[in-house]
Amino acid sequence: MSFRDWLVGTVVSTTQQTPNAKSIVLDVPGWTGSTAGQHVDVRLTAPDGYSAVRAYSLASTGTGQQVELAVDLIDDGEVSPYLVGELRTGDQLEFRGPLGRWFVWKPAQTAPVQLIAGGSGVVPLLAMIRAHTTSGSSAPMRLLYSVRSPADRFFADELAAAHDIDVTLIYTREVPAGWDASPGRVTKDILAAATVPASEHPAVFVCGPTGFVEAVASALVDLGHDPMAVKTERFGGS
């Protein structure tokens, strides 16, 4: 079976991650696993034959026939409103993959790892964190995660319990009670203070909205990081 073939997965569970996002676990006969950072294409087909295809990052990684996605609602979208608002346990989804070979991390890599996420961009980075944990990797790993508010964090409990990595949270609109900083965007000064320095030659993965990714990648290069060591994945929006 090729990654180009469409597979059918049955929904095992869904979990509300934020007010506008859900994670979806599917059981997929024929699935042979994925590398942390990869994605799949999901296809919905209407009764009249019209179909829409969208790409979604995998939160899951490794072997086995279960797949986990996390989907953020786009109000005028063709696919996400169904996945977030209507999909139920027992429903089936068509998808193909895993796709992508550039934006991936493998436990055999020993260089320090810096993960930087904006909003739902944390999903493929979570797969890297899970791969790091399950493999017992000794590579230092950090996550800088920018979200609008505490309620907008994906996989909040899991990230809080990930003691083998260093997590820094940045809130852009609303901070938790007792937080010692004001809301604000990720700046070059924050990147300099809270990420692995360029002198340690880390592998850097940045994922999030296009504007966020472009600003962060540019700042990292200004801080001395090799542009080829800064891998990016982006989606629409600001």
Side-chain angles (χ1 to χ4, degrees), residues 144 170 184-195 212 215-216 219 223:
L144 178 66
I170 302 295
R185 295 182 180 275
V186 173
T187 64
K188 186 160 68 173
D189 287 343
I190 288 174
L191 291 169
T195 63
F212 172 86
V216 168
L223 290 169

Side-chain angles (χ1 to χ4, degrees), residues 53-79:
V53 178
R54 296 292 183 272
Y56 291 102
S57 295
L58 291 163
S60 53
T61 184
T63 58
Q65 67 176 37
Q66 283 204 339
V67 167
E68 185 173 13
L69 314 174
V71 181
D72 206 2
L73 175 67
I74 299 174
D75 289 333
D76 59 351
E78 291 186 306
V79 175

Side-chain angles (χ1 to χ4, degrees), residues 35-36 104-110 131 137 205:
T35 302
V104 297
W105 181 80
K106 300 178 181 180
Q109 297 172 231
T110 58
S137 170
F205 297 88

